[in-house]
Amino acid sequence: MRMLSESDRLPGGSTAAAIGMFDGVHRGHALLVDYLKQQASAAGLQSMVVTFTRHPQTVLRSDGRPPLPLILPLERRLQLLEQLRPDLLLPLDFTPELSQLDAGAFIELLRDHYGVRLLVMGYNHRFGHNRSLTFADYVRQGEALGVKVVKAPEYLGPYSPVSSSIIRRLIDAGKVDDAMHCMGRPYELHGRVVHGFHNGSGLGFPTANVGEIDPSLLLPHQGAYAVLATAQGHQWQGMANIGHRPTLDNGNEVSIEVNLFDFEGDLYGAEIDIAFIRFLRLEFKMCGLDELRHQLERDRDQARAILNEYLNHTQS
């Protein structure tokens, strides 16, 4: 697979392309890319996935932020798209100038700069500043420019329907196991272990306080989760809490803390990836430290059972 830059120019009539944000790189996206590769191979073309480096709505908003939190940071999105193995991957910056193009002008740009002769559209995808266009409109505009436009089939596999919007709602509601089924892998957050309040050690549950998380990303609903955490080349089972720690009265700032089972050592400063496997419970204020300790013991036992079942299933 070859990663392109915007300045690259490809021979005319050499590629078949699919375009999208691909946030989440879910099962529907995988089906789209697979269909793209089939169509490209049948036409003797190279398959090319075009994705935007930032959400198109960031260009249209005065604060420059996406309208909704993202599921994936750009680097991880590109990694996952690479794993789908198109011939070419083009990260395209969505600029104010690009936002002004109608669908026909955008198809023309793809044809003239990147050799697109065949355009594969997602089942319900729209592009160009006029989002009221129908698929038939795209076909007509493509024909006028010498570009064939075809529609990929709808994803009808397990856990359908699947979309980035559905996945975002599931994660926001804490239903990370359902989101995992839609994506085909757990929802993950990447950060760095930073110094926290150091309350967990006194309870017998030392935690890694996770900071430096991309603020544009979606955080799961506040509460406790069974997680798999990877740092320094190792993976541990654990449980994570997202919230305010009301029992310890640590203020209003939302924190993400991970207790790693069977871990001894120091991870301060290390990068860490947290894979959310299943929601355990909501965060609530308890009567004191003894009640909190007993609840954490129950959480740990439940999380171990969940994670062992998950790992046994994925490794079988």
Side-chain angles (χ1 to χ4, degrees), residues 42 53 65 92 109 119 158 160-161 166 176 219-220 224 240 245 276 284 293 295 306 311:
T53 57
R65 294 180 64 84
L92 197 63
L109 181 150
L119 181 61
S160 61
I166 290 172
V176 293
L219 292 183
R245 297 173 292 191
F276 293 84
F284 59 92
R293 185 181 297 105
Q295 181 62 57
I306 290 168
L311 291 171

CSV table of all heavy atoms in Angstrom, one decimal, residues 42 53 65 92 109 119 158 160-161 166 176 219-220 224 240 245 276 284 293 295 306 311:
chain,number,residue,atom,x,y,z
A,42,ALA,N,-11.6,-5.5,-11.1
A,42,ALA,CA,-12.3,-5.9,-12.3
A,42,ALA,C,-12.1,-4.9,-13.4
A,42,ALA,O,-12.2,-5.2,-14.6
A,42,ALA,CB,-13.8,-5.9,-11.9
A,53,THR,N,-8.3,14.8,6.6
A,53,THR,CA,-7.5,14.8,7.8
A,53,THR,C,-8.2,15.5,9.0
A,53,THR,O,-7.8,15.3,10.1
A,53,THR,CB,-6.2,15.6,7.5
A,53,THR,OG1,-6.5,16.9,7.0
A,53,THR,CG2,-5.4,14.9,6.4
A,65,ARG,N,-13.5,23.5,15.7
A,65,ARG,CA,-13.6,22.1,16.3
A,65,ARG,C,-14.7,21.3,15.7
A,65,ARG,O,-15.7,21.9,15.1
A,65,ARG,CB,-13.9,22.2,17.8
A,65,ARG,CG,-12.8,22.9,18.6
A,65,ARG,CD,-13.2,23.0,20.1
A,65,ARG,NE,-13.3,21.7,20.7
A,65,ARG,CZ,-12.3,20.9,21.2
A,65,ARG,NH1,-11.1,21.4,21.1
A,65,ARG,NH2,-12.5,19.7,21.7
A,92,LEU,N,-6.6,13.8,2.8
A,92,LEU,CA,-6.8,15.1,2.1
A,92,LEU,C,-7.3,16.1,3.1
A,92,LEU,O,-8.2,15.9,3.9
A,92,LEU,CB,-7.9,14.9,1.0
A,92,LEU,CG,-8.1,15.9,-0.1
A,92,LEU,CD1,-6.9,16.0,-0.9
A,92,LEU,CD2,-9.3,15.6,-0.9
A,109,LEU,N,-11.9,17.4,-9.7
A,109,LEU,CA,-10.6,17.5,-9.0
A,109,LEU,C,-10.0,16.1,-8.8
A,109,LEU,O,-8.8,15.9,-9.1
A,109,LEU,CB,-10.8,18.2,-7.6
A,109,LEU,CG,-9.6,18.4,-6.8
A,109,LEU,CD1,-9.7,19.6,-5.9
A,109,LEU,CD2,-9.3,17.2,-5.9
A,119,LEU,N,-15.7,6.0,-9.2
A,119,LEU,CA,-15.9,6.4,-7.9
A,119,LEU,C,-17.0,5.5,-7.2
A,119,LEU,O,-18.1,5.4,-7.7
A,119,LEU,CB,-16.5,7.9,-7.9
A,119,LEU,CG,-16.7,8.6,-6.6
A,119,LEU,CD1,-15.5,8.6,-5.7
A,119,LEU,CD2,-17.3,9.9,-6.8
A,158,PRO,N,-23.6,-9.0,10.9
A,158,PRO,CA,-24.0,-8.9,12.4
A,158,PRO,C,-23.9,-7.5,12.9
A,158,PRO,O,-23.1,-6.7,12.5
A,158,PRO,CB,-22.9,-9.8,13.0
A,158,PRO,CG,-22.4,-10.7,11.9
A,158,PRO,CD,-22.5,-9.9,10.6
A,160,SER,N,-25.8,-5.0,12.4
A,160,SER,CA,-26.2,-4.0,11.5
A,160,SER,C,-27.6,-3.4,12.1
A,160,SER,O,-28.3,-4.1,12.8
A,160,SER,CB,-26.5,-4.5,10.1
A,160,SER,OG,-27.4,-5.5,10.0
A,161,PRO,N,-27.9,-2.1,11.8
A,161,PRO,CA,-27.1,-1.2,11.0
A,161,PRO,C,-25.9,-0.6,11.7
A,161,PRO,O,-25.9,-0.6,13.0
A,161,PRO,CB,-28.1,-0.1,10.6
A,161,PRO,CG,-29.0,-0.1,11.8
A,161,PRO,CD,-29.1,-1.5,12.2
A,166,ILE,N,-24.1,5.9,15.1
A,166,ILE,CA,-24.6,4.9,16.0
A,166,ILE,C,-23.5,4.5,17.0
A,166,ILE,O,-23.7,4.5,18.2
A,166,ILE,CB,-25.1,3.7,15.2
A,166,ILE,CG1,-26.3,4.0,14.5
A,166,ILE,CG2,-25.3,2.5,16.2
A,166,ILE,CD1,-26.8,2.9,13.5
A,176,VAL,N,-20.0,0.2,25.5
A,176,VAL,CA,-18.7,0.0,24.8
A,176,VAL,C,-18.7,-1.4,24.1
A,176,VAL,O,-18.0,-1.6,23.1
A,176,VAL,CB,-17.5,0.3,25.6
A,176,VAL,CG1,-17.4,1.7,26.0
A,176,VAL,CG2,-17.5,-0.6,26.9
A,219,LEU,N,-15.2,10.7,25.0
A,219,LEU,CA,-15.0,9.9,26.2
A,219,LEU,C,-16.2,9.0,26.5
A,219,LEU,O,-17.4,9.5,26.4
A,219,LEU,CB,-14.7,10.8,27.5
A,219,LEU,CG,-13.4,11.6,27.5
A,219,LEU,CD1,-13.4,12.4,28.8
A,219,LEU,CD2,-12.2,10.7,27.3
A,220,PRO,N,-16.1,7.8,26.9
A,220,PRO,CA,-17.2,7.0,27.3
A,220,PRO,C,-18.0,7.6,28.5
A,220,PRO,O,-17.4,8.4,29.2
A,220,PRO,CB,-16.6,5.6,27.6
A,220,PRO,CG,-15.3,5.6,26.9
A,220,PRO,CD,-14.8,7.0,26.9
A,224,ALA,N,-17.4,3.0,35.7
A,224,ALA,CA,-16.3,2.0,35.8
A,224,ALA,C,-16.4,1.0,34.6
A,224,ALA,O,-17.5,0.6,34.2
A,224,ALA,CB,-16.3,1.3,37.1
A,240,ALA,N,-11.1,0.6,34.7
A,240,ALA,CA,-10.9,2.0,34.6
A,240,ALA,C,-12.1,2.7,35.2
A,240,ALA,O,-13.2,2.2,35.1
A,240,ALA,CB,-10.6,2.4,33.2
A,245,ARG,N,-14.7,11.0,41.0
A,245,ARG,CA,-14.3,10.4,42.3
A,245,ARG,C,-15.1,11.0,43.4
A,245,ARG,O,-14.4,11.6,44.3
A,245,ARG,CB,-12.8,10.4,42.5
A,245,ARG,CG,-12.1,9.6,41.4
A,245,ARG,CD,-10.6,9.8,41.5
A,245,ARG,NE,-10.2,11.2,41.2
A,245,ARG,CZ,-8.9,11.6,41.0
A,245,ARG,NH1,-8.0,10.7,41.1
A,245,ARG,NH2,-8.7,12.8,40.7
A,276,PHE,N,-11.6,-0.4,26.0
A,276,PHE,CA,-12.8,-0.5,26.8
A,276,PHE,C,-13.6,-1.8,26.4
A,276,PHE,O,-14.1,-1.8,25.3
A,276,PHE,CB,-13.7,0.7,26.8
A,276,PHE,CG,-13.0,1.9,27.4
A,276,PHE,CD1,-12.1,2.7,26.6
A,276,PHE,CD2,-13.3,2.3,28.7
A,276,PHE,CE1,-11.5,3.8,27.2
A,276,PHE,CE2,-12.7,3.4,29.3
A,276,PHE,CZ,-11.8,4.1,28.5
A,284,PHE,N,-20.8,6.6,41.7
A,284,PHE,CA,-21.7,7.1,42.8
A,284,PHE,C,-20.9,7.3,44.1
A,284,PHE,O,-19.9,6.7,44.3
A,284,PHE,CB,-22.9,6.2,43.0
A,284,PHE,CG,-22.5,4.8,43.5
A,284,PHE,CD1,-22.4,4.5,44.8
A,284,PHE,CD2,-22.3,3.8,42.5
A,284,PHE,CE1,-22.1,3.2,45.2
A,284,PHE,CE2,-21.9,2.5,42.9
A,284,PHE,CZ,-21.9,2.2,44.3
A,293,ARG,N,-13.7,0.5,49.2
A,293,ARG,CA,-12.7,-0.6,49.0
A,293,ARG,C,-13.5,-1.9,48.7
A,293,ARG,O,-13.1,-2.7,47.8
A,293,ARG,CB,-11.9,-0.8,50.3
A,293,ARG,CG,-10.8,-1.9,50.2
A,293,ARG,CD,-10.1,-2.1,51.5
A,293,ARG,NE,-9.4,-0.8,51.8
A,293,ARG,CZ,-9.7,0.0,52.8
A,293,ARG,NH1,-10.8,-0.3,53.5
A,293,ARG,NH2,-9.0,1.1,53.1
A,295,GLN,N,-16.4,-2.2,47.3
A,295,GLN,CA,-17.0,-2.0,45.9
A,295,GLN,C,-15.9,-2.3,44.9
A,295,GLN,O,-16.1,-2.9,43.8
A,295,GLN,CB,-17.6,-0.6,45.7
A,295,GLN,CG,-18.2,-0.4,44.3
A,295,GLN,CD,-19.3,-1.4,44.1
A,295,GLN,OE1,-20.3,-1.5,44.8
A,295,GLN,NE2,-19.2,-2.2,43.0
A,306,ILE,N,-15.1,-10.9,33.2
A,306,ILE,CA,-15.4,-10.4,31.8
A,306,ILE,C,-14.2,-10.5,30.9
A,306,ILE,O,-14.3,-10.9,29.8
A,306,ILE,CB,-15.9,-8.9,32.0
A,306,ILE,CG1,-17.3,-8.9,32.6
A,306,ILE,CG2,-15.9,-8.2,30.6
A,306,ILE,CD1,-17.7,-7.5,33.0
A,311,LEU,N,-11.0,-12.6,26.4
A,311,LEU,CA,-9.7,-13.1,25.8
A,311,LEU,C,-9.8,-14.6,25.4
A,311,LEU,O,-9.3,-14.9,24.3
A,311,LEU,CB,-8.6,-12.9,26.9
A,311,LEU,CG,-8.2,-11.5,27.2
A,311,LEU,CD1,-7.3,-11.4,28.4
A,311,LEU,CD2,-7.6,-10.8,26.0
